[in-house]
Amino acid sequence: MRVSQTGIDLIKHFEGIRLDAYKDVAGIWTIGYGHIGPIRIDGKRYDSVADAVAANGGQPVRISHDYAEELLRDELQRFEEGVSGGLKREINQNQFDAFVSLSYNIGVSAFRSSSALKFFNQGKIAEAADAITWWNKATVNGQKQVVQGLVNRRAAEKALFLQPMDSNELGDTDVDSSRVTPEENSPRRKNIGSSRTMEGAVVAGAGGAASAGAAWMNRDSDGGDAAGDEAGTGSDADAGADTDADSDADTDTGSETDAGTGSDTGTGDQTDGGTGTDDTSPDESATDSTTDATDDVAADDIAGDDTGTGTEVGTPPVTEPEITREDYTLAFQVAIGVIIVIAVLYIIYARIDDWLNHKR
C-alpha cells in the first residue's frame, strides 16, 4: 500500500521545507522535508546530510525544491514498507496515511512497538487513535517534556486516522519542535485505587495478615494441647496404680493357671478334681474350685478394664471422628494460601498487561 497525497501533504505541513541544511533542536543536520539520510550533492553521494556538510567544510549545503520532493518520496517507501510489515488486519487509506506520518516522525522501530499499532491489530480503532496522541513528549535540552509541535501533529494524525480532512485544517505547525525525537507518553490511571497493581497488593496484604492470624490461632491451640497432655499423663499414672493393685490380687492364689487351663481345654474340672483328691481333703478341693472360679471371673473383669472392651472376644464399637480445632486451622491456612497465590498471579498479569498496553 502506498501513502496518498493527503498523507504526503500532512507530512509536508508539519515537517516544513528547508532547502539549506540546518541543525534541528536535537542537533542533527537536516534538509528538505526533515531529511537526514543519504543525499547527493553535485553528483556525489553521501550517507547522510551531516557527511555532506562535513565534506563542504562544515558549511550548510543547498538543494532544489524538486530534489527535496524526490528525497521525500524516496524515503516514504521505507516507511510505507515499515507500516505494512507491522499490520495484521485490513487498513483503510486514511488510517494508513496517519500511521505513515507517525512512523516518519518517530521511526519504524518505535512505530512497530507502539501502543497505537498494537491496539489497531486488536481491532480497537478508538484506542489506537488515542494512542497516536501519546507520542507528544521529547527530550529537549536534556529534559523530557511535552512539545506543542508534537501535540499539534498528533492531533492531526488522529483526525486523519478517524476520518478524512483537508490539509488546511491541520492546525499550526512548529518546524523545530516537530523534528525532535518523540517518545510515547501513555496516560496514567486516574487514581491509585484504580491500579490493578494496587488491587493485587491489597489482596496479597490481606492474605498475609489472615495467614499470620491463622498462625497465631495455631500457636494458642498448641499451648492448649500441651496442657492437656500434662493432665493426661497424671491420669495414666493413676491407672497404672490401679493395675498394679489388680495384679497383686491376681497373684494371691496359685491355682488360677490350672483353672484357666481347665476352662480352655474343657477338661480342667476333672484334672482339678483329681489333683484335689490326691493333695487335699474334699472340702479343700471344693474350696479351691470355688476360689478358681472366682479368680477366673475377677481375671476377666480385670482384662476387660485393661482392654476397654469389657469382653474377651468381640469387635470394638466404632466412633465417629471428631473435627478438632487443628482441622479448622489447617483448612483456614490452606484457603489463605490459595488466595495469596491468586493475588500474586494477578499482580504478575497486571504488570505484564501494563507493560504491553500502557508502557509503564
Side-chain angles (χ1 to χ4, degrees):
M1 194 171 186
R2 301 298 302 272
V3 64
S4 71
Q5 188 60 46
T6 299
I8 294 175
D9 289 342
L10 186 149
I11 294 172
K12 285 182 176 181
H13 179 76
F14 283 101
E15 294 291 344
I17 185 171
R18 296 277 295 271
L19 300 181
D20 293 318
Y22 67 97
K23 283 188 177 182
D24 64 11
V25 293
I28 300 175
W29 282 102
T30 309
I31 202 168
Y33 293 102
H35 181 78
I36 62 175
I39 189 173
R40 287 185 177 274
I41 301 295
D42 297 332
K44 188 173 182 179
R45 185 182 183 282
Y46 298 95
D47 291 335
S48 66
V49 177
D51 289 344
V53 172
N56 194 39
Q59 297 300 313
V61 295
R62 184 178 178 83
I63 60 175
S64 67
H65 188 279
D66 290 341
Y67 187 45
E69 291 278 345
E70 180 183 341
L71 289 174
L72 174 62
R73 292 183 181 274
D74 289 345
E75 193 164 17
L76 280 175
Q77 293 183 16
R78 177 167 64 90
F79 293 99
E80 291 167 346
E81 294 172 358
V83 171
S84 298
L87 299 175
K88 297 181 180 178
R89 60 189 308 275
E90 293 295 325
I91 190 171
N92 64 38
Q93 187 66 57
N94 289 331
Q95 293 167 340
F96 184 79
D97 290 347
F99 273 169
V100 170
S101 175
L102 176 64
S103 65
Y104 191 91
N105 187 223
I106 69 177
V108 172
S109 178
F111 171 76
R112 289 286 188 89
S113 63
S114 68
S115 299
L117 178 60
K118 287 184 175 116
F119 282 136
F120 177 80
N121 285 333
Q122 294 170 0
K124 301 176 181 179
I125 304 304
E127 289 86 345
D130 288 337
I132 289 176
T133 65
W134 296 351
W135 290 88
N136 61 1
K137 277 190 174 183
T139 302
V140 180
N141 297 325
Q143 293 185 345
K144 184 184 293 187
Q145 58 188 9
V146 174
V147 178
Q148 188 58 46
L150 295 178
V151 173
N152 296 341
R153 181 168 184 162
R154 299 291 92 87
E157 290 166 349
K158 176 182 178 180
L160 178 60
F161 185 85
L162 294 174
Q163 64 183 9
M165 62 179 296
D166 296 332
S167 60
N168 60 0
E169 298 177 358
L170 297 178
D172 296 334
T173 182
D174 184 335
V175 176
D176 288 341
S177 295
S178 190
R179 284 304 306 155
V180 297
T181 302
E183 299 175 22
E184 189 177 59
N185 180 30
S186 59
R188 297 284 179 176
R189 299 191 185 278
K190 294 181 180 180
N191 57 71
I192 192 170
S194 65
S195 170
R196 283 171 296 178
T197 302
M198 286 300 299
E199 293 171 358
V202 170
V203 173
S211 180
W216 179 78
M217 291 172 60
N218 192 38
R219 181 196 64 181
D220 287 350
S221 177
D222 291 342
D225 291 343
D229 290 343
E230 292 176 358
T233 302
S235 299
D236 291 344
D238 294 339
D242 294 340
T243 303
D244 291 342
D246 292 339
S247 298
D248 293 341
D250 291 343
T251 57
D252 288 341
T253 176
S255 59
E256 284 181 19
T257 303
D258 294 340
T261 304
S263 297
D264 292 340
T265 61
T267 60
D269 292 340
Q270 295 178 359
T271 303
D272 290 342
T275 303
T277 302
D278 292 340
D279 297 337
T280 63
S281 66
D283 293 337
E284 291 175 348
S285 177
T287 302
D288 290 341
S289 298
T290 302
T291 304
D292 291 343
T294 303
D295 290 340
D296 285 344
V297 173
D300 290 343
D301 291 340
I302 293 170
D305 292 339
D306 291 341
T307 60
T309 62
T311 57
E312 291 184 4
V313 180
T315 302
V318 178
T319 58
E320 293 294 333
E322 181 181 356
I323 299 177
T324 64
R325 181 175 181 178
E326 289 77 6
D327 295 330
Y328 284 114
T329 302
L330 178 60
F332 185 69
Q333 288 176 324
V334 170
I336 293 302
V338 172
I339 294 175
I340 293 175
V341 170
I342 293 175
V344 171
L345 293 176
Y346 182 82
I347 293 174
I348 294 174
Y349 162 76
R351 295 306 301 164
I352 293 175
D353 182 66
D354 281 343
W355 180 78
L356 290 176
N357 296 323
H358 301 283
K359 294 296 179 185
R360 52 186 184 141

